[in-house]
DNA sequence: TTTGATGCAAATGTTTTGCATGCAA
DNA sequence: TTGCATGCAAAACATTTGCATCAAA
């Protein structure tokens, strides 16, 4: 099952660089400008394989379509409650010992050993705070 | 817009006590036994208003239907990667100063002030660990 | 030439919603 | 009697998938 490097995948990778945490539909819309025959299914299929192989990150949201992050390295996100923009933490922003402390209290309370965590923060971004 | 206390809402509240972090469909199935004319739409509508009024908690998942928690007070969850069961932390399990530290590093890295966080942990529960 | 990737459209699964009717206050 | 809540069914929405065809290696 050797992977081929299709034109479409190339364009998806480019769109991911160009756009800021886009949804699949936004990537689709961007590529549509230059390559009108692309299909949304292809965009999803490629994003899924890329995420599965650790090339990109998929960011699930409870109330809106998933978004994709071209940076696959461990980092976290904060969403602006007003404009919806997503901001990345640096990869080393959260000290490992802080995560370990978190895990420990969860384990102590539930009896289940933590293997991984999903964390999403929210607040009001500086730009939105300014004009309010 | 005074809220009325319908038979259906009563049964939904009961099902929430009886079942363990159920989905809307599971609540629907439970009520169906005693009250065959209930509709799934009604279950969703009631769960939404209850969550909106802070009576219960809605737990979103990226890859499966949302679940509901009869305990509306701040606490966190860990999902077993094998059996899918959800375990609650105690309400005071995570020390406020730990959360404050987390918020601080996120703010320092992104420039956005944290207002709230969503955290979901996962691991293997003791029961699943035993028979493996 | 081989077979993985694509485009299209239909299917999926969850959740919401419009509307006529029912029922709690 | 009033108008919020219900049941039903259709719609909305994000995402996946079956299949014939295309194209990368």
């Amino acid at each position: 099952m050797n992977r081929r490097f299709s034109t479409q995948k190339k364009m998806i990778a480019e769109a991911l660089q160009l756009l800021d945490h886009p949804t699949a539909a936004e990537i689709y819309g961007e590529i549509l400008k230059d390559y009108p025959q692309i299909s949304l299914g292809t965009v999803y299929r490629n994003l899924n394989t890329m995420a599965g192989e650790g090339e990109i990150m998929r960011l699930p949201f409870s109330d809106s379509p998933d978004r994709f992050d071209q940076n696959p390295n461990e980092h976290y996100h904060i969403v602006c409650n007003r404009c919806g923009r997503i901001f990345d933490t640096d990869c080393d922003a959260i000290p490992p010992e802080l995560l370990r402390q978190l895990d420990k209290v969860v384990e102590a309370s539930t009896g289940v050993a933590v293997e991984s965590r999903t964390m999403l923060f929210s607040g009001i971004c500086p730009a939105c705070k300014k004009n309010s």
Side-chain angles (χ1 to χ4, degrees), chain A:
Chain A
M1 237 215 228
N2 280 314
R3 302 247 164 272
R4 290 179 190 177
F5 203 46
S6 68
T7 312
Q8 289 86 340
K9 176 171 174 179
K10 252 174 260 175
M11 304 191 92
I12 290 167
E14 277 172 32
L16 271 164
Q17 302 293 59
L18 185 64
L19 305 171
D20 183 40
H21 301 98
T23 62
E26 286 167 354
I27 293 171
Y28 173 67
E30 179 64 30
I31 296 175
L32 222 44
K33 296 178 190 168
D34 297 333
Y35 195 83
Q37 66 268 42
I38 195 159
S39 85
L40 185 54
T42 296
V43 174
Y44 270 107
R45 259 186 298 237
N46 274 284
L47 290 170
N48 281 342
T49 45
M50 290 160 103
E53 295 180 353
E55 297 171 27
I56 62 172
M57 203 182 276
R58 184 176 198 139
L59 311 178
F61 294 89
S62 41
D63 49 357
S64 58
D66 291 357
R67 296 183 166 272
F68 296 85
D69 190 326
Q70 87 288 1
N71 177 2
N73 302 309
E74 182 180 349
H75 66 286
Y76 298 88
H77 299 90
I78 180 163
V79 190
C80 176
N81 285 325
R82 200 150 304 162
C83 67
R85 197 178 148 199
I86 297 166
F87 300 78
D88 302 83
T89 66
D90 300 308
C91 284
D92 56 357
I94 303 188
E97 63 268 25
L98 199 49
L99 294 177
R100 232 178 291 125
Q101 274 184 71
L102 248 188
D103 292 353
K104 215 191 311 186
V105 296
V106 171
E107 273 174 50
S109 184
T110 63
V112 186
V114 176
E115 282 183 358
S116 68
R117 358 169 174 55
T118 306
M119 298 197 290
L120 180 64
F121 301 85
S122 71
I124 307 286
C125 77
C128 285
K129 200 167 280 175
K130 194 177 289 178
N131 42 313
S132 71

